Amino acid sequence: MMMNYKIQGTPNSPVLIFSNSLGSEMMMWEELIPYLLPYFRVLQYDTRGHGGSKNNIRNEGYTIELLGKDVINLMDELNIETAYYCGFSMGGLIGQYLGINHPNRFKKIVLSNTGAKIGNDERWNGRIETISKNGMQAIVEDTMERWFTEDFRKQNPQKVSETHAMFLRSDVLGYSNCCCAIRDADFRNQLQNLSVETLVITGDEDPVTNVEQAEFLVSNIPNAQLKVLHARHLAATELPKEYAQVLIDFFVGEATFDKGMHVRRTVLGNTHVDRANSKINEFNADFQSFITNYAWGEVWTRPNLSKHNRSLITMAMLIALNRQTEFKMHVRAAFNNGVTVDEIKEVIMQSALYCGLPAANEATHAAEEVFRELGVNIS
């Protein structure tokens, strides 16, 4: 099975995998991504039978085990040993399967707007019959009502329209096969085996997977906590900024220092940060805390510039200020942020125009020194 996926973010960041709800494509997460890219490489994919993963849809129902194995196979294909995971509704069922059967592959798991058992045979068989006879159009209006609060539908007609169109793009057979997977999934007697640290999210107005179902998950998973948002079923779409912050707080930490240390490590590397931390003493401790909180926790985590672009800008400013030691540190860091040798060269050339030839000359020599230390081929 060829899965349609997209992965973005800097190479030294841990991976966060998003798994979609029934009737959704990976576009459902788009508004969250800018807030998350300072911290993660984000992997989105279309579930089997949905979006761009519609090839070779067979006339037989899927299972959650099959959909879970698709995630593991995709991780193996991309050489992702471990990841964070956030699964929504059907993706939350997949997350339960993964946490129970592949706990060593996941650092933390979010189960969002889901349940250990969702609906019953009558409900799912009835839905399959309805769309088989009348198409996705027959259930789209009811779905939008279940997915979004009334206020959101009134105030965000464009977003609702986009989601409406996404739902109608669903393949009837692919959707039906996934209905079978949800219908037959029941983790109520297996949750005690889910050993991965877990966050359960739901909406206070979610009529599909309500607070009671979320509380059941939390009370039966050994290491789980609950977050209730003011939303209906598609909480991530209703509250993208708030939802992204909930994920960051759970995966990384609520304190600015924790967020800063996470980003600092992804940019500068563990070796550099561990060395700096080993040198902390009574004299420099406040300054080290200041760097981690302010530079890395408040500025480098801002969503409107990529870490890649921040690297380019930082190197240019350090050339202008003739801060050679710091410049060399950020040349090393640039590779962790996906910057290429050619891009570093162009930063130096641009700096030669606006900062002066002597500054650019020193930067060239400093960069070449770093390349030699790292074994980077520039011939």
Side-chain angles (χ1 to χ4, degrees):
M1 173 69 189
M2 293 293 293
M3 303 296 292
N4 182 49
Y5 70 88
K6 174 170 66 174
I7 188 165
Q8 52 191 319
T10 53
N12 204 41
S13 297
V15 175
L16 167 57
I17 301 172
F18 279 120
S19 185
N20 315 330
S21 64
L22 177 68
S24 294
E25 301 164 4
M26 60 183 174
M27 64 171 278
M28 70 170 284
W29 304 103
E30 288 300 316
E31 288 181 273
L32 281 72
I33 307 302
Y35 302 108
L36 297 164
L37 285 178
Y39 303 92
F40 305 104
R41 287 176 77 201
V42 177
L43 172 58
Q44 299 158 263
Y45 76 98
D46 285 330
T47 309
R48 182 186 289 252
H50 287 68
S53 299
K54 291 178 183 174
N55 49 316
N56 300 321
I57 299 177
R58 298 175 184 174
N59 192 17
E60 56 190 40
Y62 301 151
T63 64
I64 291 299
E65 180 182 10
L66 177 69
L67 301 181
K69 287 180 176 177
D70 284 341
V71 175
I72 297 298
N73 290 338
L74 183 58
M75 291 174 71
D76 291 343
E77 179 187 334
L78 298 174
N79 295 313
I80 298 168
E81 184 60 35
T82 59
Y84 296 95
Y85 178 92
C86 177
F88 202 99
S89 197
M90 176 174 65
L93 288 169
I94 296 170
Q96 290 169 67
Y97 167 83
L98 294 171
I100 292 165
N101 294 280
H102 299 275
N104 59 314
R105 302 298 297 271
F106 298 95
K107 298 174 182 178
K108 293 184 181 181
I109 287 176
V110 169
L111 306 176
S112 184
N113 299 81
T114 192
K117 170 70 176 170
I118 303 176
N120 53 39
D121 289 6
E122 183 182 1
R123 169 182 165 182
W124 292 111
N125 292 336
R127 186 178 299 191
I128 292 168
E129 184 179 355
T130 297
I131 63 173
S132 297
K133 289 180 179 176
N134 305 305
M136 302 305 296
Q137 186 68 44
I139 62 171
V140 67
E141 298 304 334
D142 285 345
T143 300
M144 294 303 106
E145 190 173 325
R146 288 196 307 272
W147 278 8
F148 300 119
T149 59
E150 186 177 349
D151 284 348
F152 185 86
R153 294 200 305 277
K154 287 178 180 177
Q155 295 169 17
N156 299 274
Q158 179 65 31
K159 190 63 186 176
V160 174
S161 176
E162 291 170 3
T163 307
H164 189 280
M166 175 186 72
F167 188 82
L168 288 179
R169 288 195 296 270
S170 298
D171 180 274
V172 169
L173 184 54
Y175 184 99
S176 297
N177 286 349
C178 285
C179 285
C180 294
I182 299 171
R183 178 195 66 198
D184 298 338
D186 186 350
F187 292 106
R188 286 176 293 187
N189 295 321
Q190 301 176 54
L191 293 176
Q192 71 274 11
N193 299 322
L194 203 171
S195 58
V196 184
E197 186 178 352
T198 301
L199 172 67
V200 178
I201 302 175
T202 196
D204 59 1
E205 293 189 23
D206 189 341
V208 182
T209 49
N210 57 31
V211 174
E212 185 181 355
Q213 288 172 277
E215 289 173 339
F216 179 86
L217 288 168
V218 172
S219 64
N220 286 275
I221 296 169
N223 188 7
Q225 55 185 286
L226 175 64
K227 180 69 175 180
V228 180
L229 300 175
H230 180 52
R232 281 202 180 160
H233 189 55
L234 231 60
T237 306
E238 283 209 42
L239 303 166
K241 185 175 182 180
E242 184 178 345
Y243 193 99
Q245 192 60 57
V246 169
L247 296 185
I248 293 164
D249 287 349
F250 175 63
F251 289 140
V252 179
E254 296 185 19
T256 303
F257 183 89
D258 293 335
K259 295 179 175 72
M261 186 57 72
H262 176 99
V263 175
R264 190 178 179 186
R265 287 183 178 280
T266 67
V267 176
L268 300 180
N270 286 327
T271 301
H272 176 95
V273 176
D274 288 343
R275 186 168 59 245
N277 285 343
S278 71
K279 296 177 181 176
I280 291 177
N281 55 44
E282 190 174 342
F283 180 74
N284 64 30
D286 289 349
F287 181 69
Q288 286 293 323
S289 177
F290 170 80
I291 291 172
T292 302
N293 277 286
Y294 185 58
W296 298 106
E298 294 190 15
V299 177
W300 276 82
T301 56
R302 293 168 66 88
N304 295 322
L305 265 183
S306 69
K307 284 156 79 176
H308 178 280
N309 287 345
R310 288 186 190 278
S311 270
L312 300 180
I313 293 165
T314 301
M315 286 187 291
M317 289 190 289
L318 292 171
I319 292 170
L321 294 168
N322 194 25
R323 302 288 192 263
Q324 191 173 125
T325 301
E326 196 86 358
F327 173 73
K328 289 166 71 173
M329 181 184 79
H330 277 278
V331 170
R332 295 186 191 93
F335 291 109
N336 290 333
N337 282 342
V339 176
T340 65
V341 169
D342 284 343
E343 288 173 318
I344 294 171
K345 178 171 70 175
E346 292 307 318
V347 167
I348 293 173
M349 293 298 293
Q350 193 78 6
S351 299
L353 279 180
Y354 294 99
C355 305
L357 295 177
N361 186 42
E362 284 202 25
T364 299
H365 293 309
E368 288 179 332
E369 188 178 324
V370 173
F371 297 157
R372 285 193 296 271
E373 289 174 10
L374 297 177
V376 176
N377 184 9
I378 56 173
S379 60

